[in-house]
Structures are given as C-alpha cells and as structure tokens.
Amino acid sequence: MFTRSSHRWAGVTVPALLLAVAGCGVWGNDSAQGTPAAAPLPSLSVPASASPTVSLGSATPSVGEAELSPAVRGKKVLVVGDSWAAYFGAGMSKVASGGNVIVNAGMGGCGIMMPDTVQGGKKSGEACLKWPKEWPQYMKQYKPDAVLLRTANWDMTPQSFDHSGVELSMEHVPFRQRFFKNMGRAIDILSENGTPVYLTNAKIDDSWKNLSLKMNDAVQQVADKYKDKGVHLLDLRAQLCNDNGCPPVLDGHKLYDATGHPANWSRDRLATWMLNAMFAGSPAGTHF
C-alpha cells in the first residue's frame, strides 16, 4: 500500500520546504505513499468532529467544499507531515486567494516517528529526522495563523526504531507510545504562541483496514488530549467514505491519482474545506 514515488511542481524552494503564495505556482517535493484500494461506491457527509469509529451512514461523501469563504483572507498556513500533507498544501495554494500564504513543508515518505528503517528494511531518509529542529524555525520565521499536521498515512507504514531491526506498527504498544510522544512533542512546537493546530485522520483502506482504524483512533486521542492547546481534528474519513466504503469516483471525478493520493479535483475541494474550517468556522470543520 505505501510505496515511494516522486512528483514535482513548479515553485520556489525554501530549504527543506517550499513556500507557495496563493495565486502563484505551487511547490516541489518528493512524495511517498501508497495507492488506496478502490472500494465499492460509498458515501458520507457528517461533521468533521465525528469520532473515527462512529457510524457514517450511507449518504454520498461531500469530498470537501467547492467555495472558499471570504473570511479566508490574509491568512498564513504552515503545512507539515507526509505526502498527503504536501498534496493538501498544494491544494491550499491553488484555491487560496486574498493574500493568503501557504508554507508547504509536507514531505513524501516522512512521518512523525523518526525511524531507522521502513517498509522491510529501507533506510529512513535523513530529512525525515529533522522536524524537531526545522519546525521551530518555520514557526519563528513564518508565524502562521494555523498549522496543518498530517501524518496519518505514512505512519501506518511498519517502521523500526533504536536499531532493533524489528519493524512495528500501530498494532504494537511501543509504536503507539512513540507516536503519542512524538505527536505531543510536535504539538508543543506547532502550537507556540497559541497557534491552532489541525490534525486529520485517514480514509479507511480495505488493504490496511485494521491499521487505518487504529491510526484514526490514535489521532482522535491526540486531538482530545491536546484540545486545551488549540488542537482540532478534521474528519477526513467522513469527507471521503461512508459505512459502505470509500468511492474511487464521484460525480464523474476520479478522487485519487495513480499513486493513491488525492487527484486535483478532490485535493482542491478538501483543501478548501480545511481552510474554511480553520478560518470561517465552517460546519464541516471541527472546533474543540
């Protein structure tokens, strides 16, 4: 499911991230991850605050929102995390207007876990280990109005730590403990000066259903634990799935590209939904 691939966008490179101003070109970055399995046509449309384990019903998924609220003007958003984060950062840059600035530091093949190896012994990229030093610098340099921290896909990948050679996943207690510890550390960095931090859960992948459910429960726990620090959960699962599954096509639009990441149409709608939730109090957004 999670494999490495590469995509490029035109943009201005800024150290390990790419800075994109709305209305300009997007960014360039290595992306990683796998191809979500195409499930039977399903649907859903519930508030983003719903628990990852609640029933979603059978309505057609809304897949984000089409219109950006006028309230999203002159805002600055820092996007960090895995390749899905990078895609959402690209979408935000595409749909944002009114002087909004998107600082896209999403990195393909990188999560929050800082492992030795991933995916059957592949060495983790050096860039994936630098977030504890780089993210404080980004917060100081860019002073964002909100942060999107997205790591729910890549960190379903089995990974090894402390040179053990044994790759663990969300199914293992030590992995979950490390996930909670690193997420807490990241939130301490990203919530500096009261900056709100937005997390997302993951669509349920048929091939990795158990890991998807465990990841979503873990992300929910993190959001609940740190709500007093301004952490919010955006229920991406509810935007893409219902109780019957997660459709690969909606209204004639393919929802995913060949790598399993959001295709442009769904990416941009989801990015619009996220920005509205951050700054316009959209009903589709979660505000703990």
Side-chain angles (χ1 to χ4, degrees), residues 17-102:
L17 61 76
L18 301 134
L19 176 62
V21 180
C24 298
V26 202
W27 44 273
N29 209 338
D30 289 333
S31 71
Q33 274 168 275
T35 304
L41 181 65
S43 35
L44 145 44
S45 186
V46 301
S49 56
S51 165
T53 56
V54 301
S55 172
L56 300 179
S58 59
T60 301
S62 52
V63 189
E65 296 174 337
E67 299 294 332
L68 191 68
S69 168
V72 188
R73 293 185 61 83
K75 305 299 184 181
K76 188 179 295 181
V77 179
L78 171 64
V79 179
V80 294
D82 58 21
S83 58
W84 276 63
Y87 270 65
F88 292 139
M92 288 180 183
S93 181
K94 176 72 177 298
V95 305
S97 60
N100 297 299
V101 175
I102 308 303

Side-chain angles (χ1 to χ4, degrees), residues 120-220:
K122 297 183 181 69
K123 185 174 176 58
S124 179
E126 289 297 320
C128 300
L129 310 178
K130 295 180 178 180
W131 64 260
K133 292 185 178 180
E134 290 183 340
W135 293 359
Q137 296 173 5
Y138 301 160
M139 292 298 293
K140 182 178 180 180
Q141 179 176 356
Y142 298 110
K143 298 178 175 58
D145 297 297
V147 176
L148 174 67
L149 169 57
R150 161 75 190 196
T151 181
N153 275 69
W154 182 256
D155 281 329
M156 277 188 269
T157 307
Q159 305 173 49
S160 72
F161 312 97
D162 303 322
H163 308 290
S164 69
V166 178
E167 291 187 350
L168 307 176
S169 72
M170 267 292 171
E171 295 180 312
H172 302 99
V173 172
F175 187 101
R176 294 197 297 273
Q177 290 174 334
R178 187 180 181 98
F179 179 83
F180 291 134
K181 179 180 179 180
N182 284 6
M183 286 292 281
R185 185 179 182 185
I187 288 167
D188 283 344
I189 293 170
L190 300 172
S191 63
E192 183 180 4
N193 298 323
T195 305
V197 177
Y198 291 81
L199 313 177
T200 83
N201 53 19
K203 70 183 287 290
I204 305 302
D205 188 283
D206 283 353
S207 299
W208 289 42
K209 183 174 182 179
N210 189 51
L211 285 173
S212 301
L213 292 171
K214 288 185 179 297
M215 172 59 76
N216 286 357
D217 284 341
V219 173
Q220 179 78 60

